[in-house]
Amino acid sequence: MRSVEEHQRVVDELIAARPAATTGLAEAEHLVLADNVAATVSLPVFDNSAMDGYAVRAADIVGATAESPVTLPVAEDIPAGRTDIPTLEAGTAHRIMTGAPMPPGATAVVPVEATDGRTDVVTIREAADEGRHIRRAGEDVAAGTTVLRAGQVVTPAAVGLAAALGLHELPVIPRQRVLVISTGSELVSPGSPLQPGQIYESNSIMLAAAVRDAGADVVATPAVSDDVAQFAAVLDRYAAEADLIITSGGVSAGAYEVVKDAFGRDGDQGVDFVKVAMQPGMPQGTGRVAGTPIITLPGNPVSALVSFEVFIRPALRAAMGLPDAHRPRRSAVLTEALTSPRGKRQFRRGVFDPGAGTVTSWGPPASHHLRWFASANCLLDISEDVEQIAAGSELRIWDLR
């Protein structure tokens, strides 16, 4: 059987980054910059007031105090957005709002709280040093400066900075587009009545949620019966829109394995079916359909989601340049004794207590116990050469929080 590490390398090589593209600011959020971004203007663009108050010449209010105030005529009113800015003459003041351009000649701003707030003649009760409460042009960003760098995730702050610089789009690594197909004649859409022998389809919904959680986009989530023609028709309809195809089910050793039947059970039609030395998730497949990468996962829900975590999620995030492609690995003390099948790397659901530094296995190890996975917060990573683990042993876990 193929080792987990070998299969991870195969999947890593299969999923490649999309070419860089420019996209609008709203669409760029949470993506990774493909190139450096330089400031096209300075920030602030012009000298402006940091306070609501009065623009003055500092020399005109030297010595002003509450006991000995200075009175100046208010010659102009300068709200934010005014474009015709008159010069401040000596011995006068301009009432000014936060963000409004500083008038030529003014050397300081007195906050309105230090005045009587009048609009004809203002009484000023404190002096101001030159430059007080003035935001200078370029003190945040000088035009031409690199402000965002390739490889950086576009955060709300980065979007705000780009907009403040007058940019309406950014160069990014686009999201991967993923087609998720669930197979099985027994599957029925949630909300429909069940007939004997039928079950509700959950894998495509679950895997699509995992794809979006990893930062990628979902093209579609069709479910198909164990019919090769129907499966092929879905691929024909959606595959060209996708950068990656994920299937679940139809890859085991029994009859009616539609994915194997569609691609040839010997892997002679572009998909290589293998067994990976892991539990759950042993039957796997990788290849290409008309040039589009495809990864075939087993149909049991825990097997499918564990396989996604182990193989697909890190490769997807790496292809999009996203940080923390791998779940955090931690060490924790096991609270109970466990057994594991020798020769297979076991991934068991667990509950990690970070305060105590302990971990407890959560639910049976079988691949159909999805209930326990829904309330687990980690995976216990048990090496293939381990058969028994004593309580109190230190164990590696994958933190899913």
Side-chain angles (χ1 to χ4, degrees), residues 200-276:
Y200 286 121
E201 199 285 299
S202 60
N203 277 5
S204 68
I205 299 168
M206 175 181 68
L207 291 170
V211 165
R212 288 189 290 267
D213 182 66
D217 285 335
V218 177
V219 171
T221 57
V224 301
S225 66
D226 293 321
D227 180 273
V228 171
Q230 185 185 10
F231 180 69
V234 167
L235 289 176
D236 288 342
R237 179 177 179 183
Y238 294 110
E241 304 173 31
D243 304 302
L244 174 67
I245 303 165
I246 300 173
T247 69
S248 67
V251 294
S252 293
Y256 307 107
E257 303 292 351
V258 66
V259 177
K260 275 191 170 181
D261 291 340
F263 295 113
R265 289 179 176 256
D266 296 325
D268 56 358
Q269 296 185 36
V271 178
D272 185 21
F273 297 104
V274 299
K275 292 181 179 180
V276 177

Side-chain angles (χ1 to χ4, degrees), residues 66-348:
E67 295 76 23
S68 179
V70 172
T71 300
L72 297 174
V74 180
E76 294 284 348
D77 204 38
I78 308 177
R82 182 171 175 177
T83 57
D84 58 323
I85 309 302
T87 298
L88 177 72
E89 303 296 339
T92 67
H94 289 180
R95 191 172 72 146
I96 193 167
M97 302 299 122
T98 302
M102 289 296 296
T107 60
V109 172
V110 179
V112 67
E113 294 83 0
T115 74
D116 62 1
R118 293 180 59 177
T119 59
D120 52 352
V121 176
V122 63
T123 298
I124 298 172
R125 297 189 296 268
E126 67 177 34
D129 296 331
E130 290 196 2
R132 183 79 180 275
H133 300 310
I134 297 175
R135 301 166 176 161
R136 296 298 183 187
E139 71 176 29
D140 185 16
V141 176
T145 302
T146 296
V147 291
L148 300 170
R149 298 194 176 274
Q152 179 177 343
V153 176
V154 179
T155 62
V159 169
L161 175 59
L165 292 169
L167 303 173
H168 67 282
E169 58 186 16
L170 289 170
V172 295
I173 302 172
R175 287 183 177 87
Q176 293 280 305
R177 300 165 299 188
V178 183
L179 170 63
V180 180
I181 306 174
S182 191
T183 68
S185 296
E186 73 278 17
L187 304 178
V188 175
S189 297
S192 303
L194 288 177
Q195 300 297 321
Q198 294 181 328
I199 62 172
Y200 286 121
E201 199 285 299
S202 60
N203 277 5
S204 68
I205 299 168
M206 175 181 68
L207 291 170
V211 165
R212 288 189 290 267
D213 182 66
D217 285 335
V218 177
V219 171
T221 57
V224 301
S225 66
D226 293 321
D227 180 273
V228 171
Q230 185 185 10
F231 180 69
V234 167
L235 289 176
D236 288 342
R237 179 177 179 183
Y238 294 110
E241 304 173 31
D243 304 302
L244 174 67
I245 303 165
I246 300 173
T247 69
S248 67
V251 294
S252 293
Y256 307 107
E257 303 292 351
V258 66
V259 177
K260 275 191 170 181
D261 291 340
F263 295 113
R265 289 179 176 256
D266 296 325
D268 56 358
Q269 296 185 36
V271 178
D272 185 21
F273 297 104
V274 299
K275 292 181 179 180
V276 177
M278 64 184 289
Q279 185 191 59
M282 183 176 67
Q284 301 282 340
T286 57
R288 292 184 181 273
V289 176
T292 302
I294 184 170
I295 299 172
T296 68
L297 304 179
N300 277 317
V302 174
S303 296
L305 190 54
V306 167
S307 297
F308 182 90
E309 285 288 339
V310 174
F311 303 117
I312 302 176
R313 187 181 191 275
L316 268 183
R317 289 184 65 82
M320 294 182 287
L322 292 169
D324 304 319
H326 296 275
R327 297 286 194 180
R329 308 295 200 261
R330 309 193 190 284
S331 292
V333 175
L334 188 62
T335 62
E336 81 240 91
L338 291 177
T339 61
S340 183
R342 187 173 184 84
K344 290 185 179 180
R345 186 169 167 184
Q346 189 180 54
F347 295 93
R348 293 188 66 154

Side-chain angles (χ1 to χ4, degrees), residues 26-97:
E27 294 75 22
E29 189 175 357
H30 304 310
L31 298 182
V32 171
L33 289 172
D35 202 355
N36 293 343
V37 175
T40 52
V41 296
S42 294
L43 291 180
V45 179
F46 46 80
D47 290 357
N48 67 86
S49 176
M51 303 287 287
D52 294 330
Y54 295 84
V56 298
R57 293 176 183 254
D60 289 339
I61 59 170
V62 172
T65 65
E67 295 76 23
S68 179
V70 172
T71 300
L72 297 174
V74 180
E76 294 284 348
D77 204 38
I78 308 177
R82 182 171 175 177
T83 57
D84 58 323
I85 309 302
T87 298
L88 177 72
E89 303 296 339
T92 67
H94 289 180
R95 191 172 72 146
I96 193 167
M97 302 299 122

